[in-house]
Amino acid sequence: MSDSPKPLSPFKSALRFMKSFQVLAILTSLTGLAFLVMDGMIDGQWDLVTSGWNNVKIFLSETGPPNWSVLEARSYPTCEERYDVFCSIAYIGMLETIKIAFVSTVFGFIGAILLSSLAARNLSPVWLSVAIRILLAAMRSLPSLLWAILFVIVLGLGPLPGILAMTFYTIGYLGKLQYEAIEGMESAPLEASRATGMSRPEVFTNVVVPETSNHLLSQMMFMFEYNVRHGSVIGIVGAGGIGYYINNYLQFQMYDKVFSLLIIIFLVVVIIDFISMGVRSFVNEKGDVRRPSWLTVMLPGKKAAQIHHGIVAEDED
Amino acid sequence: MKQTLLDLKDLDVGYSQPLIKNINLTVQSGEVIAITGPSGVGKTTLLRTISGLVRPLKGAVELRVEKRGGLGYIPQKLGLIRHASVEHNIALGSISSSEKMQMFSRIRSAAVLGFILSLFLSFFQYPFGGALFFLCGPGILITSVLSQRLLHQQKQTIVWNAMKAVRLSDKQHEPVRRLSGGQQRRVATARTLAQSPSLIVADEFLSELDDANVTIVIEAMLNIIESGSSLIMVEHNLVRAKQLAHRIWTVENGTITEEVIEDE
């Protein structure tokens, strides 16, 4: 019996060499297939792409630089606030969008967590979990825009149909993410608590929620960000928020103002992402690790390491 | 007077095929049983079957302990909530511990439900519901707050004693994920102590521990065994098994043989 591993045959070595390119081969094949499908769909009219580019240039030249007058107070009603910006269209619209997103995320989260606890296979019997999954699928099969149209027809224009539309969609979407997170949790804590004779609600509140808190928080923050972005879309059908103003400006071809409102939405989404990062650091393991500061990122490696470790040493003292 | 806590009758354990066949054994109160044998012979499956997590393929597991909180289970992977604090993890044991706790918990649930119901009635059954709410609401609210306070005090005492027993009182608010492997095993032990079950089923709970940690955990376990609880544990260290256990169950070739350890 020899100690060294058996050498591979030339055929097997060649196969192993080819295997190292398999990811590249799969990606190339998929891209090629996608191009073929697209070619069939546009009947080979690839010149549309080049002509479209000219339209983009015209659009950008007409849009021009963003028009920040959206941050100035509206001429009517008279502004009684200390700062003009609080009476501006951007502020009023964005605030209403954030309010709609907040309310629908909170209501949606509560609805979703109740339903997802019943839909998770490791917590509920099959018949119940299947029934709840069908309900959740039905709720998210209609996008929030269609829910909004439905509620605008039923309840009329304003923020209420927007809130209801986004709450319904949030329950459907968040419910799925939550029951998948619950099903993905380790079985040991569940088994340890079940063996002690805890009831299902006790297991859910005392074991499942703290164990999956990182995922639940992350999903809630993602949904809030998603609702802020979609709040601007559903406003277009009259369900309130900044989308209402974007729609108005689009109708009057005031693209420069649309541009500035889009920049504001982008900034709000970035801020929410940072808040989300901060909130999640309370419950995930990354919160335990000291990250290098911005200052040390800019410095050369040796100096950065010196400063970084110096800070650690001070803390330990 | 010793009581039979566990009676295994003609038991076959396994998932689709039996791993261990024809088990006929009993466990008395105050006994320590060590299960030994090579890996993969079905020791963990036997513990899971006793704990009610796996159905027996044949025969019966007769547990003569309280349905709620009578059995404490320490899985091999400990089953701790990594993001929660040491205190929260240990308090999980106290949820299903004493009858007093359960009584307070029921009073609290009933009071909260009553408060919500009377509030609901006050909205929809005006003026009768409103009058009922003003008459009963404050009483229900005070009962709820008082029972919650008593429940909290009782829980705090149980958790604190368990934490002291495994010498983790200085880590009360620390998330479990920040503790070392040995400290995490002590938390799992404290969770079971807080539950004070009649029968403890522990799967390799002394493995990966240094001598100092083994001493702490064993001391804590022996205290609860002296009060009449029993312990069934999987233990690979035969010397330690003989020191601790009254009987050793050796699993080999699909059967269990029992060896009684004489007191020295």
Side-chain angles (χ1 to χ4, degrees):
Chain A
M1 219 171 93
S2 70
D3 288 339
S4 57
K6 219 171 134 185
L8 288 172
S9 67
F11 175 71
K12 279 190 176 169
S13 326
L15 209 66
R16 190 167 281 189
F17 179 72
M18 295 283 283
K19 236 181 165 180
S20 60
F21 290 103
Q22 66 181 6
V23 176
L24 194 68
I26 290 169
L27 279 179
T28 315
S29 320
L30 281 175
T31 316
L33 185 68
F35 266 111
L36 274 176
V37 173
M38 192 174 161
D39 187 61
M41 288 171 83
I42 61 171
D43 294 328
Q45 292 175 309
W46 289 96
D47 54 324
L48 282 175
V49 178
T50 46
S51 63
W53 177 241
N54 292 330
N55 290 339
V56 170
K57 278 195 270 186
I58 296 165
F59 176 78
L60 285 177
S61 65
E62 279 185 15
T63 308
N67 184 345
W68 294 111
S69 65
V70 291
L71 287 170
E72 289 164 12
R74 291 181 298 180
S75 47
Y76 183 82
T78 320
C79 184
E80 289 172 3
E81 299 289 340
R82 192 169 172 188
Y83 299 104
D84 279 0
V85 72
F86 293 135
C87 302
S88 67
I89 282 186
Y91 178 80
I92 291 167
M94 200 65 237
L95 192 67
E96 192 169 74
T97 299
I98 290 173
K99 279 179 184 170
I100 292 173
F102 172 75
V103 173
S104 50
T105 308
V106 171
F107 287 159
F109 182 80
I110 293 166
I113 204 154
L114 291 174
L115 290 178
S116 62
S117 64
L118 301 173
R121 282 287 299 112
N122 50 353
L123 295 179
S124 296
V126 183
W127 62 269
L128 185 61
S129 102
V130 169
I132 300 293
R133 277 166 194 234
I134 291 170
L135 177 71
L136 290 174
M139 289 178 105
R140 68 172 182 276
S141 60
L142 282 188
S144 46
L145 187 67
L146 291 185
W147 278 118
I149 293 173
L150 203 73
F151 282 115
V152 166
I153 295 167
V154 177
L155 301 164
L157 298 174
L160 185 63
I163 289 171
L164 287 177
M166 295 219 293
T167 304
F168 265 63
Y169 188 72
T170 303
I171 292 174
Y173 196 88
L174 209 53
K176 184 180 167 61
L177 293 177
Q178 283 175 353
Y179 75 66
E180 281 179 357
I182 293 169
E183 283 175 357
M185 71 176 274
E186 266 193 68
S187 58
L190 286 178
E191 289 185 350
S193 48
R194 270 186 195 141
T196 63
M198 272 192 203
S199 63
R200 273 187 190 160
E202 278 172 347
V203 170
F204 183 70
T205 50
N206 294 294
V207 179
V208 176
V209 171
E211 182 68 7
T212 53
S213 54
N214 181 21
H215 295 290
L216 298 183
L217 269 177
S218 161
Q219 287 157 3
M220 191 173 77
M221 292 307 289
F222 166 75
M223 208 61 218
F224 179 56
E225 182 215 297
Y226 177 92
N227 283 342
V228 168
R229 281 186 283 118
H230 271 246
S232 51
V233 178
I234 62 161
I236 290 171
V237 295
I242 202 166
Y244 171 77
Y245 300 103
I246 291 179
N247 190 36
N248 278 351
Y249 289 141
L250 278 174
Q251 279 174 351
F252 292 107
Q253 297 184 344
M254 296 157 86
Y255 299 122
D256 51 350
K257 288 191 175 177
V258 173
F259 196 16
S260 52
L261 288 182
L262 291 179
I263 290 172
I264 288 166
I265 294 172
F266 165 73
L267 288 176
V268 169
V269 168
V270 170
I271 291 166
I272 292 170
D273 198 36
F274 277 109
I275 295 171
S276 162
M277 227 161 67
V279 169
R280 278 187 297 132
S281 71
F282 286 108
V283 283
N284 64 14
E285 281 164 54
K286 280 176 193 154
D288 303 340
V289 182
R290 176 181 279 279
R291 294 186 193 87
S293 67
W294 284 109
L295 174 72
T296 55
V297 166
M298 301 294 175
L299 289 173
K302 206 174 171 184
K303 186 77 184 160
Q306 205 179 359
I307 292 176
H308 185 58
H309 293 299
I311 294 165
V312 173
E314 272 171 26
D315 277 7
E316 279 171 357
D317 287 340
Chain B
M1 175 79 184
K2 287 201 168 182
Q3 280 181 309
T4 304
L5 296 181
L6 177 70
D7 199 350
L8 307 176
K9 286 181 177 168
D10 301 321
L11 185 69
D12 281 11
V13 299
Y15 291 96
S16 51
Q17 294 292 315
L19 288 166
I20 313 171
K21 282 184 180 174
N22 208 22
I23 309 165
N24 281 293
L25 292 162
T26 55
V27 177
Q28 311 288 324
S29 56
E31 269 190 326
V32 178
I33 311 285
I35 306 176
T36 61
S39 297
V41 289
K43 299 186 295 292
T44 299
T45 314
L46 174 61
L47 291 193
R48 285 163 59 87
T49 311
I50 292 170
S51 309
L53 298 165
V54 176
R55 278 191 191 157
L57 293 177
K58 207 191 95 192
V61 176
E62 283 181 15
L63 261 174
R64 286 168 201 148
V65 297
E66 310 86 74
K67 203 176 172 189
R68 191 179 154 87
L71 184 132
Y73 177 53
I74 307 177
Q76 205 171 349
K77 288 180 180 172
L78 304 178
L80 296 172
I81 302 164
R82 288 171 53 73
H83 299 304
S85 66
V86 169
E87 190 184 21
H88 179 95
N89 272 282
I90 297 174
L92 283 181
S94 73
I95 288 173
S96 47
S97 62
S98 66
E99 277 181 19
K100 216 172 176 184
M101 289 276 286
Q102 288 175 35
M103 190 183 71
F104 288 145
S105 174
R106 277 181 200 136
I107 292 172
R108 185 190 58 178
S109 307
V112 169
L113 203 69
F115 187 75
I116 294 169
L117 201 71
S118 59
L119 194 68
F120 188 76
L121 275 174
S122 72
F123 274 113
F124 295 100
Q125 293 290 319
Y126 185 81
F128 168 73
L132 189 78
F133 178 71
F134 279 107
L135 282 173
C136 306
I140 294 172
L141 196 67
I142 291 166
T143 315
S144 161
V145 171
L146 277 179
S147 55
Q148 169 66 29
R149 198 177 148 79
L150 288 169
L151 190 70
H152 185 71
Q153 278 173 354
Q154 181 88 2
K155 204 191 234 178
Q156 284 292 103
T157 318
I158 293 171
V159 171
W160 185 249
N161 288 339
M163 258 191 307
K164 269 206 306 196
V166 295
R167 296 177 208 170
L168 274 176
S169 33
D170 55 329
K171 304 275 180 196
Q172 191 178 359
H173 302 296
E174 197 89 2
V176 162
R177 64 174 189 270
R178 287 189 194 158
L179 302 184
S180 69
Q183 286 171 329
Q184 290 189 10
R185 284 196 181 265
R186 275 150 63 185
V187 175
T189 310
R191 183 184 58 195
T192 311
L193 295 182
Q195 190 188 332
S196 60
S198 308
L199 179 66
I200 302 165
V201 176
D203 197 353
E204 295 187 33
F205 79 119
L206 296 175
S207 64
E208 301 167 25
L209 286 180
D210 57 44
D211 289 346
N213 275 317
V214 167
T215 313
I216 293 170
V217 171
I218 287 178
E219 261 178 30
M221 276 295 180
L222 288 179
N223 277 337
I224 193 170
I225 288 158
E226 272 171 22
S227 64
S229 299
S230 299
L231 169 68
I232 304 175
M233 60 175 188
V234 169
E235 180 58 63
H236 284 294
N237 185 333
L238 212 62
V239 178
R240 197 152 59 201
K242 284 186 175 172
Q243 279 172 351
L244 286 172
H246 298 106
R247 284 185 283 154
I248 295 180
W249 296 351
T250 309
V251 186
E252 219 162 11
N253 302 324
T255 54
I256 287 190
T257 48
E258 188 180 57
E259 181 192 347
V260 179
I261 308 295
E262 298 295 333
D263 282 342
E264 284 177 8

